[in-house]
Amino acid sequence: MSGTTTATARQAADVPEGGADSRGPVGQANRWVVLVVLCASLLVVAVDATVLHVAVPAVSEDLRPGSIELLWIVDAYPLVCASLLILFGTLGDKIGTRRVLLFGYTFFAVASALAAYAHTAGVLIGARALLGVGGAMIMPATLSILRQVFPDRRERALAVGIWSAVAAVGAAVGPLVGGALLEHFWWGSVFLINLPLMAAGLPLGRWLLPESVTGSEGPWDVLGALMAAAGLFGVILGVKQAGGGEPLSPLCWLPLAVGAALMALFVRRQRRRTQPLIDFGTLTRAAFGTSVGCIVLTVLALVGLALIAAQYLQLVLGLSPLETGLRLLPLSVAAIAAGLLGSRLLALLGPRTMVALGFVATAVAVLCLLGVGQHDRPGLLVGGFVLLGFGLETTLFGCYESMLSEAPAEQSGGAAAVGETAYQLGAGIGIALLGSVMNAAYGPGVRDAAGRFGISGGDGADASHSLGEAYGVADRIGGGTGAALKEAARASFVAGLHVTLLVSAALLLLGALAALRLPRHMEGAAGVGENGASGAGRNGAPGTGQGDASGTGKDGAPSAGRDGAEQGGASDTAHNGASGVREGDGSGRPLSRGVTRS
């Protein structure tokens, strides 16, 4: 937390463990059970984002959607989910995150049943949109409740590591789960697996999860929330259209322009309100803003590379969807390991070094993958994916932990929504940017080859759109010419992949430079001192407070107690009982006089 946070906000961050729930705070033993419930919820949402990708051919054969309908079947879920994150994240701060989370479970279960038994493309698109509504309720709520349940930063670091590993793994294993189900069942089974999980989550969530109403003053800004939702919808839709190869189309720049204008009006409105949905003063802090930007860069590389890697494994190497998922499994295992080790690495290295090294490790992994070609090299792929998964998860963990610790507890839902929105924006930009780079490098080679082989201009243009379309054109032509076109398309795809990897490595190294703005040390790791006074001692270790059980100083004002001031400047109390701010050196001893608030 920032050194300028008031004593009241510090108490909100460090004291309550269970929020405002009447059943009392969450006990030491129960908070890890709460983490399991939260991670299970997140896993379902993350898997659903990618599980349908391998089922698209089966859906197309059964429902016969048009090209635009097929695009919306895939995109409706992430688009709606990303658009509503801020709306539901800030609503949770107002009415309680557990309540929003349980509503999300219900929406997700109903939408999953509708999607599984959809008989038309329109019904499936509507069900996927409802899934997005449920996902937008669930995702920020899990991170917000985690922030409330783990007030101690060192425990929270471990919890965030597990949480972020589950998020990364869920997206990665989605195609694997989908491929395994499609081996034995129809495409609707990829949605039915959500029903028993949501049915178990509703009673468990109501019983185990604490409510975390922050008691923030003022009404919820409904108009601002709707402006944010509409603005994000337009921006992300425009980005997705650009990724589809239509950057100059009105379907791209018009929603992008309208969305950007609405977001600008939203920011202006929030800056003028005394009780904003999003405190943009928090975003301007170096740790928070840098963490959000690094999340965008990390996910940009992750999603863009994962999409291209899946195409490479299936279309160039000829692997099945299930085999493709298994090849990507080392990335997931490495991400889990990085998440479990994240809290120790953070304490050892600090946020700045950890995030920067994560970016560098990911860039090295990407450069190693330049060695792939038209022939299978499993050893190189496994090694590259392991380093890629470890580096990406290390970076995401450091960013989420720094962002969550910097945000005031009373705005944890909004902060979580900002982080998740950054994730979704990074995914959209990654597909658009790296997809455009891939197409720019792939298309000319295929068109040149088509001209050399005497293939018509129309067929050559179709083949230059994607490797899948090139295979379709080649099969239609047949003979030696078709085989030669396939070979040329594969070679062009591999060349485009190499260019895309180089661009990704450059972006990741840019992220490493940006990470240098993060704090050097893991500051403000709150411990519990004697008699319950919270404070951090030397080097952020738990210190000993000298106050009473409530941490009360002279005149009854909240105090951290002697040697209980947090490292890097935490809220303290002057002798007259007014809250003040001191600078600290990590030992708990004040370096300068407190700044008294009138």
Side-chain angles (χ1 to χ4, degrees), residues 262-329:
L262 285 172
M263 289 305 299
L265 291 173
F266 170 73
V267 172
R268 182 181 178 186
R269 178 181 176 85
Q270 298 309 300
R271 287 188 177 278
R272 292 181 173 184
R273 291 180 65 86
T274 56
Q275 297 293 332
L277 292 173
I278 301 293
D279 181 5
F280 284 93
T282 301
L283 281 173
T284 58
R285 297 174 190 168
F288 192 94
T290 301
S291 297
V292 171
C294 288
I295 289 172
V296 172
L297 282 173
T298 306
V299 179
L300 187 156
L302 170 65
V303 174
L305 289 176
L307 180 63
I308 296 172
Q311 292 177 348
Y312 169 78
L313 292 172
Q314 293 186 66
L315 298 178
V316 176
L317 299 186
L319 303 181
S320 69
L322 181 59
E323 290 171 331
T324 298
L326 291 173
R327 282 296 184 92
L328 293 172
L329 196 58

Side-chain angles (χ1 to χ4, degrees), residues 55 195 201 246 345 383 550:
L195 296 182
E246 302 176 354
L345 289 176
S550 63

